[in-house]
Amino acid sequence: AQTVTQSQPEMSVQEAETVTLSCTYDTSESDYYLFWYKQPPSRQMILVIRQEAYKQQNATENRFSVNFQKAAKSFSLKISDSQLGDAAMYFCAYRTSYDKVIFGPGTSLSVIP
Amino acid sequence: DGGITQSPKYLFRKEGQNVTLSCEQNLNHDAMYWYRQDPGQGLRLIYYSQIVNDFQKGDIAEGYSVSREKKESFPLTVTSAQKNPTAFYLCASSLGGGTAYGYTFGSGTRLTVV
C-alpha cells in the first residue's frame, strides 16, 4: 500500500526567508501524481502545487517550487520569500492509480515577522 | 462562483444518534469524496463516488454511510455505530474522477459528540 511521510511536524521561518518542507512516499507504481496542499487557520484546503511523476522538470508556482526526486521517492516543497500568509498546515499527497489521494500527516509552518 | 458548500459548519451529536453532513457542489464535477481529519493524522478517506448512484468505501468506512442520488450532492451520515465520531470532516470533488488535477475542498464540518 502507498504511504506518505512528512518527518517535520513543525517548522518555522523568518519572514522573507526560504523554507523547505520534506515529504517522502512509498509506492510500486511508475506513473502517479503528487500534490502539496495548504490548510490555513480557516481550515479551507488549498491546492498549492502538483507534480506529474513522468515529468522530470520540477513544478513551480510563483514562490512555491518542488524538488522531485523520483528514484529517492522524495517530494519537497520550497517556499521562497516567505510571507505571513504562508503560515498554515501543509500536506503532501499522493494520487494512487485507483483514483484515491493519500495524505501525509502534515507539517505546521509558522512565519516569524 | 462555483464551489463546494458543506453544512452545517458545527454539529453536535448525542450518543446513539445518527447525523447527516451535507455536501453540495456546483462545479459539475463527477467525483466526490469524504475525508476525516484528526490531529496529527492528516486526512483519511471515508467514502468516494466517481459517478451518480455509485460509491466505494475508503480506508475508514465503518460507522458511516453515503448516497449519491444527484451529481451535485454527496451527503455523509455518521451512524451510532461510529464509536469515535468527533472530528473535522472535509468534502472534496474533482473533474471526472481525474484527481490528477487535484481536489476542490469544502470548508468542512466540525462534529462533536456531547
Side-chain angles (χ1 to χ4, degrees), chain A residues 62-110:
Chain A
N62 300 315
R63 298 183 293 106
F64 298 87
S65 62
V66 298
N67 182 5
F68 175 48
Q69 303 288 329
K70 190 173 183 179
K73 298 178 182 175
S74 171
F75 183 60
S76 61
L77 174 69
K78 185 172 81 172
I79 306 174
S80 304
D81 185 26
S82 296
Q83 301 174 359
L84 295 178
D86 294 334
M89 284 289 290
Y90 286 83
F91 292 96
C92 179
Y94 172 100
R95 177 212 168 202
T96 75
S97 59
Y98 298 101
D99 236 9
K100 297 191 314 184
V101 175
I102 299 170
F103 289 83
T107 296
S108 177
L109 178 67
S110 301

Side-chain angles (χ1 to χ4, degrees), chain B residues 97-110:
Chain B
T99 51
Y101 299 98
Y103 290 156
T104 298
F105 281 89
S107 56
T109 294
R110 161 70 70 182

Side-chain angles (χ1 to χ4, degrees), chain B residues 36-81:
Chain B
R36 170 177 171 145
Q37 186 176 22
D38 294 284
Q41 295 192 44
L43 279 68
R44 293 183 290 167
L45 182 65
I46 305 172
Y47 269 98
Y48 65 107
S49 169
Q50 294 178 299
I51 197 168
V52 175
N53 292 323
D54 187 43
F55 48 83
Q56 288 79 40
K57 293 182 179 180
D59 301 317
I60 56 165
E62 185 175 352
Y64 300 96
S65 65
V66 294
S67 62
R68 187 86 188 277
E69 297 176 0
K70 297 185 297 182
K71 186 175 184 177
E72 58 270 23
S73 179
F74 191 43
L76 174 73
T77 297
V78 184
T79 74
S80 57

